[in-house]
Amino acid sequence: MFLMGVGKLTGYSLPWYPENPDKDTWPRIIGTSDPVLRFRWDEPLSHDDNYYSMRMIAGYMRTHGSSQVPSATTLLVAISEDDLQRRVSDKFLSLQKALRGVGHLDSRNRRVEVAAVSDITSINSAGLAEGQVVVKEEKKGGRAAQLASRAAGKLLVRNRKRANLPADSIYRDKKYDTAFVSKLMSDDEEELDDKGEKTGKFVSHAPAHSSQE
């Protein structure tokens, strides 16, 4: 977290690799003149930028880990270089999974970019938003990527609405967590006008199967 300049590592808080590759323009690691580390989450760990950041983190853990976490001193002395890098690699994969979990990456680790949410027309009995969500469609891939992007937009809206429900709402119970994943969002189709032309809006359809609750 320190080398990335973030307070926590969650799917919602992970920073993306900047569009500007000039590291002189990036934020600095606190107390140093070095740029923060960034990962390309939509690329494998073998990508040059990701491999560099992984090696930097492993090196920092080796040289500064004991002062940061004294209880880890014995482990850091005993652990091999390969095992240390493997642990950093495993963490990278778990963070990619976290990004998939919140709909920021699709199942093939392609970035899903969600734009503005608009035209939220109603709140159903569960307190969850129903309506149209405008998303920036993923350039790579075809219809499947587009549907994944729209589902991610719905998921973000519903997660926000769920977080704002009263503390005693039954829909904040952990048993419903598994329902808040992008794959379970209802499918959308592009709306067509009388001339068969796209209107820029989407028509929502309820899932074929749903819980009685």
Side-chain angles (χ1 to χ4, degrees):
M1 294 188 296
F2 173 71
L3 296 182
M4 295 175 66
V6 296
K8 54 185 177 180
L9 298 177
T10 69
Y12 289 113
S13 62
L14 289 173
W16 293 91
Y17 202 90
E19 292 184 5
N20 185 350
D22 182 2
K23 294 183 179 182
D24 288 338
T25 66
W26 294 11
R28 305 289 102 179
I29 298 173
I30 296 175
T32 77
S33 59
D34 299 322
V36 293
L37 296 183
R38 290 290 181 261
F39 286 93
R40 295 186 184 273
W41 302 110
D42 52 352
E43 298 287 351
L45 187 57
S46 58
H47 187 284
D48 286 348
D49 293 327
N50 290 338
Y51 186 71
Y52 168 82
S53 293
M54 184 270 288
R55 290 297 302 271
M56 290 294 290
I57 289 176
Y60 184 87
M61 291 172 64
R62 178 73 76 186
T63 56
H64 300 285
S66 297
S67 61
Q68 297 288 329
V69 185
S71 60
T73 300
T74 302
L75 174 62
L76 288 170
V77 170
I79 193 171
S80 69
E81 192 66 26
D82 287 344
D83 196 17
L84 181 61
Q85 291 187 28
R86 181 183 60 79
R87 291 177 184 238
V88 178
S89 299
D90 289 345
K91 185 61 177 181
F92 173 85
L93 295 176
S94 74
L95 293 176
Q96 278 189 321
K97 182 178 180 180
L99 287 166
R100 291 194 299 272
V102 298
H104 290 180
L105 288 176
D106 68 13
S107 60
R108 297 174 63 183
N109 287 335
R110 293 176 299 192
R111 185 175 182 180
V112 178
E113 299 184 79
V114 180
V117 175
S118 66
D119 194 20
I120 302 302
T121 57
S122 64
I123 303 295
N124 64 17
S125 60
L128 305 178
E130 296 290 353
Q132 295 166 345
V133 177
V134 180
V135 299
K136 183 188 296 183
E137 295 179 352
E138 175 63 52
K139 293 182 179 179
K140 294 181 288 185
R143 176 172 171 76
Q146 294 176 7
L147 290 177
S149 181
R150 295 169 195 166
K154 281 192 172 184
L155 177 61
L156 288 177
V157 172
R158 294 183 178 189
N159 276 331
R160 282 198 292 267
K161 292 295 181 181
R162 187 188 186 200
N164 289 328
L165 289 173
D168 59 351
S169 171
I170 61 172
Y171 295 103
R172 298 191 69 164
D173 193 289
K174 289 186 177 180
K175 71 178 182 179
Y176 292 105
D177 288 354
T178 54
F180 287 82
V181 293
S182 58
K183 289 183 178 180
L184 295 184
M185 298 297 105
S186 58
D187 292 336
D188 285 346
E189 293 182 358
E190 292 179 329
E191 182 183 71
L192 304 178
D193 61 20
D194 294 337
K195 297 180 181 179
E197 297 179 351
K198 297 177 182 179
T199 65
K201 297 181 179 180
F202 303 108
V203 179
S204 297
H205 296 282
H209 303 281
S210 59
S211 168
Q212 293 182 352
E213 297 185 37

